[in-house]
Amino acid sequence: MTYSMDNEARERARKRLEARTARLRDDKPRSSVVERVASARQAFGGDRSTDAPERRARHVRGARPRTVEEGSFDEYEQDDGFFDDEAEADVSAEDAKEPDDAWQEDSNDARGGLDVQDAAKRVADGARTAAAGVASAAKGAVETLGARGLAIAAAIVAVFAILIVGIVQCTAAPPAEEASPEAEQQAEPEKPDTSKIDEAALEAVLGPDVTKKLVDEAQKNADVAWIASNPDKYADDGDVVQRRLLTLAATEPEAVPFVRAFPDKYPQESGEKTDQAPEKGTVPTYYMWDERWGYTVYSSTTFALTGSCPTALSMAYQGLTGNSDGTPFDMGALAERLGYMTEFSGTDAGFLQAAADEMGLACTHPEITADSIESALQSGAVLVFNVGAGDFTDGSSFVVAAGQNDDGTLQIHDPFSATNTAKSWDVQTVIGQTYALYAYTLADASDGAETGEGEDAGPDADGGQDGAGNDNDSV
């Protein structure tokens, strides 16, 4: 129970308390706490257990006790209580257990021991009640979910808590700093150095058209810029070799790394093998300037400029057999051994017939017509065209027809040009530049196979030994 009073009333009560306390101490000795409590009970009309409810009601209503005269309080008022002039409060042992703030400030002797004992008992009772409630709730959760289910539920709650914390941290993360203009400028690749390019000197070797192509590529490619700045590095084997290597760099992007490394790697003694055998029936794509064999010497200079015939035959052979031998370098070595490599003009065309016998192939010469070409390709033959000046070369070269597209165009593999290889070619365009046509099949499958009209060609076949069938320019 808690009493309330204003400051003025509290002050009056304190003064009266002090006066009465002084008088009581002068008149008679202080009674014990037990005696004071018993006297208070008797003054208020009897036993606490039976009269307490009525006394509480009277106190709440502000009524005075009917059985106690006002003056009788002088004997029982002590230093542990205070009373208003308007209403004499019902101070019993029950009331003494719950003093207000003023009571706690002014008195800690008579009622203190009872308050601590009662508070401790209530705290203990509350703790036991709370513990029982928690135990009951836990038991109910376990019975409902089971121990395993309760553990899973706890784990799920923990996971969600972690996710929420992560999301909050991500959303609260400061925005990434924008790159400064200086940083963006530093990230840009450096432009090739073209300050040393002598366009006049290049034009003397290449002419204005090819020079323009080379210089334009040099603006975008550091390797081309170096090549254009050092044309003399490619002149060791003569003007023709120099011109063709520089032209290769200007017109064939895939060949640029080869040309750039040429001054350091040429000449090499031998070539390398191909990485793996092609699928049988699929014609591989090889180039004369492949680094695996392009730096070797063939027909008095680099294989990259004079090896179109051995490279074309290598594609036909590996495509038909599915073998990994017979690389372009191998075919060049075979041409040299058989005596078909010329000193300055590449390969004598007679090699294409002679090599077939050595390599287990059958070689025929269909007529150079659209129908003959279509018939040979449909029979499974691989065709090699000996072509002259035009789209494929300035002099003489060899290209391979690996197949025919649905629209009738040819799939051409040009040993010198990846650009030409990527195109589809009109049959008449190719026929118009062709000196001779060679159709290859496997020797054991050639009996009865129709590869087009014509007889097997010997050394004097069309496109043979008169120079028209030799590789590339004279060097």
Side-chain angles (χ1 to χ4, degrees):
M1 181 180 299
T2 302
Y3 300 95
S4 304
M5 61 170 46
D6 56 25
N7 292 333
E8 185 178 353
R10 184 178 292 110
E11 184 64 22
R12 289 198 308 271
R14 184 177 292 110
K15 288 180 181 180
R16 292 178 60 199
L17 177 63
E18 290 175 355
R20 284 193 290 270
T21 301
R23 186 177 68 252
L24 290 171
R25 287 175 178 172
D26 294 338
D27 294 343
K28 56 182 178 181
R30 290 173 59 87
S31 57
S32 66
V33 172
V34 175
E35 292 173 343
R36 282 180 282 168
V37 170
S39 299
R41 287 180 176 174
Q42 183 178 2
F44 278 90
D47 185 66
R48 171 179 177 246
S49 61
T50 58
D51 296 341
E54 175 61 24
R55 285 186 283 108
R56 290 196 191 98
R58 290 200 304 271
H59 172 72
V60 171
R61 292 194 300 270
R64 298 182 179 182
R66 289 174 294 179
T67 59
V68 182
E69 295 182 0
E70 186 173 343
S72 66
F73 276 101
D74 292 344
E75 183 179 357
Y76 303 106
E77 288 177 341
Q78 302 169 13
D79 59 325
D80 57 353
F82 51 87
F83 302 93
D84 199 316
D85 289 338
E86 300 295 331
E88 308 295 346
D90 178 12
V91 182
S92 65
E94 176 69 22
D95 300 331
K97 295 179 182 179
E98 296 180 5
D100 61 6
D101 293 341
W103 183 285
Q104 290 177 340
E105 291 175 359
D106 296 332
S107 179
N108 292 309
D109 55 350
R111 196 170 297 170
L114 297 176
D115 288 345
V116 170
Q117 293 176 3
D118 191 62
K121 181 176 181 300
R122 293 188 180 188
V123 169
D125 291 342
R128 284 193 294 270
T129 302
V134 171
S136 177
K139 180 179 180 182
V142 171
E143 291 177 351
T144 302
L145 299 177
R148 183 176 181 183
L150 191 61
I152 293 174
I156 293 174
V157 171
V159 170
F160 273 103
I162 294 171
L163 289 176
I164 291 172
V165 172
I167 292 171
V168 171
Q169 291 178 346
C170 290
T171 55
E177 296 182 0
E178 296 183 0
S180 63
E182 294 79 5
E184 292 180 356
Q185 190 173 14
Q186 291 177 357
E188 294 179 358
E190 295 183 2
K191 292 184 178 180
D193 181 10
T194 59
S195 61
K196 298 180 181 180
I197 296 178
D198 186 346
E199 294 190 30
L202 289 174
E203 286 188 10
V205 178
L206 301 173
D209 294 341
V210 178
T211 295
K212 185 178 185 307
K213 289 181 180 180
L214 187 65
V215 172
D216 288 346
E217 290 297 320
Q219 306 299 323
K220 303 175 289 184
N221 188 308
D223 284 344
V224 178
W226 189 92
I227 293 168
S229 300
N230 298 274
D232 293 343
K233 298 285 188 182
Y234 301 92
D236 290 350
D237 281 359
D239 294 345
V240 174
V241 172
Q242 180 189 34
R243 175 173 63 83
R244 290 179 64 82
L245 286 172
L246 295 176
T247 300
L248 183 63
T251 59
E252 291 293 326
E254 291 188 27
V256 168
F258 170 86
V259 178
R260 172 62 182 85
F262 185 87
D264 299 323
K265 294 187 176 182
Y266 175 79
Q268 291 182 355
E269 292 295 328
S270 61
E272 300 176 12
K273 298 295 183 180
T274 51
D275 297 332
Q276 60 183 13
E279 182 180 353
K280 187 174 182 180
T282 301
V283 179
T285 301
Y286 294 141
Y287 298 108
M288 302 145 58
W289 37 262
D290 191 304
E291 293 186 354
R292 289 173 290 184
W293 43 76
Y295 297 121
T296 62
V297 176
Y298 183 76
S299 185
S300 305
T301 188
T302 170
F303 189 95
L305 301 179
T306 58
S308 70
C309 184
T311 304
L313 184 58
S314 174
M315 287 189 276
Y317 168 76
Q318 288 195 0
L320 289 167
T321 65
N323 296 336
S324 61
D325 65 331
T327 66
F329 177 80
D330 294 337
M331 293 299 186
L334 179 60
E336 182 177 7
R337 180 169 64 82
L338 296 177
Y340 290 95
M341 182 191 75
T342 66
E343 188 174 357
F344 300 105
S345 302
T347 309
D348 188 292
F351 171 67
L352 293 174
Q353 178 66 48
D357 298 336
E358 291 281 334
M359 303 301 295
L361 301 178
C363 178
T364 60
H365 292 269
E367 290 185 357
I368 307 174
T369 65
D371 290 341
S372 295
I373 292 171
E374 180 178 1
S375 176
L377 291 174
Q378 288 180 349
S379 70
V382 177
L383 304 181
V384 175
F385 294 80
N386 184 187
V387 295
D391 295 313
F392 302 103
T393 181
D394 293 335
S396 177
S397 187
F398 296 86
V399 298
V400 178
Q404 194 167 22
N405 300 313
D406 293 339
D407 60 0
T409 56
L410 298 177
Q411 301 168 9
I412 296 294
H413 292 191
D414 183 351
F416 190 72
S417 174
T419 302
N420 287 340
T421 299
K423 298 178 182 179
S424 294
W425 289 87
D426 178 73
V427 176
Q428 295 301 329
T429 299
V430 177
I431 288 174
Q433 301 174 54
T434 300
Y435 289 119
L437 181 59
Y438 303 82
Y440 289 93
T441 57
L442 292 174
D444 56 2
S446 61
D447 295 338
E450 296 182 4
T451 58
E453 299 178 3
E455 300 292 336
D456 285 351
D460 297 326
D462 291 341
Q465 321 298 317
D466 61 357
N470 294 348
D471 267 345
N472 306 302
D473 295 341
S474 299
V475 291

